[in-house]
Amino acid sequence: MSSSDNELIQSIRSIPDYPKPGIIFRDITTLLGNPRAFRRAVDQLVQIYAGTKIDKVAGMEARGFILGGAVAHQLSAGFIPIRKKGKLPHETVSIAYSLEYGLDEMEMHRDAVVPGEKVILVDDLIATGGTAVGATQLLRQMGAEVVAACFVIDLPDLGGRKKLEALDVPVHTLVEFSGH
């Protein structure tokens, strides 16, 4: 583990038994509040794509908005908010996606992406992958080329990364937490 990985891991708060007993919630609000760690995380997410033509960055509600907006700024790309159903004011497209215990829906504005645009998906963490897979399918449904999915945290035991890679989406993460 590099010193930058260690700094990122130390900047992430772990909250036991949230949202239910046996779960350890990985909270990046402490990373976001640490200027050095926040800058390092954004720089590392951007670095692999520097010099690549990226048209848009899509961020998933809500921490993906913070990280995705910063990544889009650094890449001189547009930003696409992907939100829970009913939150966007203009004409939308939506998709149902799997959660651990059921289904939910997410949507984006119909005019957020032009067919053929290269898009990177950004969020704080990849767990079971339901949200990220749904967002990928939604973007592809609108004609986007999903170049990659980027996350600060990978929870590899939950298998989300493998689900995205099975859809031919390269996954880039900064740190991982194994176990719960």
Side-chain angles (χ1 to χ4, degrees):
M1 179 184 331
S2 74
S3 63
S4 66
D5 290 347
N6 193 37
E7 180 182 6
L8 289 178
I9 286 171
Q10 289 179 359
S11 71
I12 297 167
R13 179 175 23 218
S14 296
I15 303 172
D17 299 320
Y18 183 84
K20 62 183 187 178
I23 302 293
I24 299 175
F25 185 81
R26 307 301 179 174
D27 177 19
I28 70 154
T29 60
T30 46
L31 179 147
L32 297 172
N34 176 330
R36 183 180 161 120
F38 184 30
R39 173 104 190 172
R40 177 164 278 149
V42 171
D43 287 349
Q44 288 181 10
L45 290 172
V46 167
Q47 181 181 12
I48 193 168
Y49 305 103
T52 304
K53 173 68 171 125
I54 302 298
D55 298 299
K56 304 271 175 72
V57 173
M60 294 175 289
E61 191 171 338
R63 289 170 298 275
F65 291 178
I66 299 163
L67 292 164
V71 169
H73 171 74
Q74 291 293 94
L75 292 174
S76 297
F79 180 76
I80 303 169
I82 297 181
R83 302 215 54 192
K84 291 185 187 251
K85 190 164 180 65
K87 300 286 186 181
L88 292 170
H90 193 55
E91 187 179 347
T92 61
V93 291
S94 65
I95 192 165
Y97 65 99
S98 298
L99 294 171
E100 192 173 350
Y101 299 109
L103 290 176
D104 204 349
E105 282 187 76
M106 69 177 85
E107 60 188 13
M108 63 184 229
H109 281 133
R110 183 172 294 283
D111 60 1
V113 66
V114 173
E117 283 188 318
K118 294 180 184 308
V119 177
I120 294 175
L121 186 64
V122 175
D123 206 357
D124 64 329
L125 66 82
I126 178 78
T128 62
T131 306
V133 166
T136 297
Q137 292 170 334
L138 183 60
L139 288 161
R140 286 179 172 170
Q141 173 184 315
M142 296 310 297
E145 179 187 338
V146 180
V147 173
C150 303
F151 307 91
V152 173
I153 302 168
D154 184 8
L155 302 177
D157 298 342
L158 299 179
R161 177 186 201 116
K162 289 180 181 167
K163 290 177 186 171
L164 280 175
E165 289 171 343
L167 294 174
D168 294 320
V169 177
V171 176
H172 179 63
T173 60
L174 304 183
V175 299
E176 69 177 47
F177 289 93
S178 295
H180 295 285

